[in-house]
Amino acid sequence: MRSVTDLSSGVERRGPADSAAPDAVPSSPAESLLVAAARRRPGPRPPVWFMRQAGRSLPEYRAIREGIAMLDSCRRPDLVAEITLQPVRRHGVDAAIFFSDIVVPLAAIGIDLDIVPGTGPVVARPIRRRADLDQLVPLEPGHVPDITESVRLVVAELGARPLIGFAGAPFTLASYLVEGGPSKNHENTKALMYGDPQLWHDLCARLAQISGTFLRVQAQAGASVVQLFDSWVGALPLADYERYVAPHSASALAAVADLDVPRIHFGVGTGELLGAMGAAGAEVVGVDYRVNLAQASRRIGPGYAVQGNLDPAYLFAPWEALAERVRQIVAEGRQTPGHIVNLGHGVLPHTDPDVITRVVDLVRSLEGS
């Protein structure tokens, strides 16, 4: 693995995307296309980055991770910096997303869990009774000094390009903790939520503190934007979201409200929840690939930018079909107060990296068109 001192030149070179990058170089992350779009300020084109771009499909990521467990990878600043910067070098995206995992802060406070390849997070002692809450102590910056170091390393190499910090939202973290791992139906989660609302709220209040502190640590170390991921919240109807989830997501997002960093709030299958997700405190609402961007923006309201929303499976389609869809998404985004081009979920592991680079090139070429 190359040393961190070698990373800056890699970011500056960037590679094939340079040929399609006529953009003026911003003087700082605050002047970047990403921050401008998040604040609903017009720009020559929408910024573009991809969820799960830090790794997943890149052969250089697989090579550097070989033999290293996921949680260990997330706690080594040199490795975190290298992986975070890999897609910036290769694709020339407009922002880096911090390489981590939503369960990192849970492991940092002592929750016995592991990220099992091919499965996801697996929790040794699921939380289903009040006594189980004792596992969840407040997260303090002293639990994650390596995260602060990692962010500072990355920011120093990115220069004027922004870094996006992130955390898992209380509902999604609660689902992993209650189910003991990934779940399609969230039956234990919903049984607890409906059957013991007070325990549910106490659980989510603790998770909101953990998520909010994790966001704050990254923002204070230099992240210019943060994103709260609520991967599983689309399993709920709007009324349940507003009653059982929104207050806790709002609490997590409020943890960085005084730091002047735009906040992105993203979930999957959340077409009916978009307005409430915006109201929870974000400046940007992520839209998955099931809802037209212009329609989603009308649901959310004029006070919010949107992010999305290319179906990740489109990256496997013939280029002509993919390029047409990208152009459509950019056109839809022009009907919104602000737009960040992204996928409607994360990069799939077997995606051809060259296709991702071509999409970035295409978005760059649409400047002013």
Side-chain angles (χ1 to χ4, degrees):
M1 185 180 71
R2 71 165 110 180
S3 69
V4 173
T5 57
D6 294 330
L7 299 180
S8 180
S9 60
V11 173
E12 293 304 316
R13 287 196 304 269
R14 288 193 307 193
D18 276 339
S19 60
D23 308 333
V25 177
S27 59
S28 69
E31 301 301 320
S32 65
L33 289 173
L34 180 76
V35 173
R39 298 198 183 284
R40 309 190 310 282
R41 297 198 300 259
R45 64 167 177 85
V48 54
W49 70 279
F50 300 91
M51 287 181 281
R52 294 181 184 158
Q53 71 184 18
R56 298 285 283 193
S57 65
L58 299 184
E60 56 265 41
Y61 165 77
R62 290 191 291 272
I64 203 170
R65 276 280 324 279
E66 187 173 0
I68 305 174
M70 180 62 178
L71 281 174
D72 293 337
S73 300
C74 295
R75 305 302 300 272
R76 285 179 47 181
D78 60 337
L79 197 57
V80 170
E82 170 64 17
I83 293 171
T84 299
L85 291 164
Q86 283 177 346
V88 179
R89 294 193 202 101
R90 180 183 274 263
H91 305 309
V93 285
D94 292 308
I97 178 73
F98 187 63
F99 175 71
S100 189
D101 190 273
I102 62 171
V103 299
V104 163
L106 299 180
I109 62 168
I111 298 294
D112 187 359
L113 60 83
D114 191 20
I115 301 176
V116 179
T119 299
V122 175
V123 179
R125 293 174 52 207
I127 294 178
R128 296 176 184 171
R129 302 173 302 160
R130 179 157 296 277
D132 297 329
L133 284 182
D134 292 342
Q135 299 178 65
L136 288 175
V137 301
L139 179 70
E140 302 292 343
H143 287 119
V144 287
D146 53 292
I147 301 301
T148 295
E149 182 182 352
S150 297
V151 170
R152 289 175 176 166
L153 284 173
V154 173
V155 169
E157 302 300 332
L158 286 173
R161 197 184 310 259
L163 173 68
I164 303 167
F166 77 92
F171 178 84
T172 291
L173 292 179
S175 179
Y176 281 119
L177 288 171
V178 174
E179 300 292 340
S183 173
K184 291 183 178 180
N185 300 311
H186 310 283
E187 56 266 37
N188 293 307
T189 305
K190 292 182 178 181
L192 175 60
M193 186 174 69
Y194 299 139
D196 193 340
Q198 189 57 57
L199 176 56
W200 172 260
H201 285 298
D202 291 345
L203 167 61
C204 287
R206 296 192 185 201
L207 292 172
Q209 185 278 330
I210 291 168
S211 295
T213 298
F214 200 57
L215 291 177
R216 190 172 182 87
V217 164
Q218 294 168 79
Q220 288 183 318
S224 301
V225 179
V226 296
Q227 176 160 301
L228 190 69
F229 282 85
D230 214 346
S231 303
W232 306 130
V233 78
L236 298 180
L238 177 59
D240 289 347
Y241 176 82
E242 292 178 327
R243 178 180 179 185
Y244 296 108
V245 177
H248 305 292
S249 294
S251 178
L253 289 165
V256 294
D258 64 319
L259 298 181
D260 196 33
V261 294
R263 298 161 293 180
I264 306 169
H265 197 181
F266 172 76
V268 181
T270 53
E272 298 302 315
L273 311 181
L274 291 172
M277 291 179 70
E283 286 72 35
V284 184
V285 178
V287 181
D288 76 8
Y289 52 87
R290 297 167 179 85
V291 184
N292 174 283
L293 276 180
Q295 182 182 11
S297 183
R298 288 191 291 271
R299 294 182 187 182
I300 302 164
Y304 304 89
V306 295
Q307 177 177 277
N309 65 340
L310 180 67
D311 185 340
Y314 248 110
L315 296 173
F316 294 83
W319 174 250
E320 293 76 12
L322 172 57
E324 179 181 3
R325 182 65 188 123
V326 171
R327 293 188 183 96
Q328 289 173 346
I329 288 170
V330 171
E332 292 167 8
R334 292 196 180 102
Q335 303 174 52
T336 72
H339 177 216
I340 299 165
V341 175
N342 207 310
L343 301 178
H345 200 186
V347 174
L348 298 173
H350 299 294
T351 304
D352 182 348
D354 291 340
V355 173
I356 298 175
T357 304
R358 290 188 73 182
V359 171
V360 174
D361 289 348
L362 176 57
V363 174
R364 288 177 178 273
S365 75
L366 296 175
E367 178 176 336
S369 62

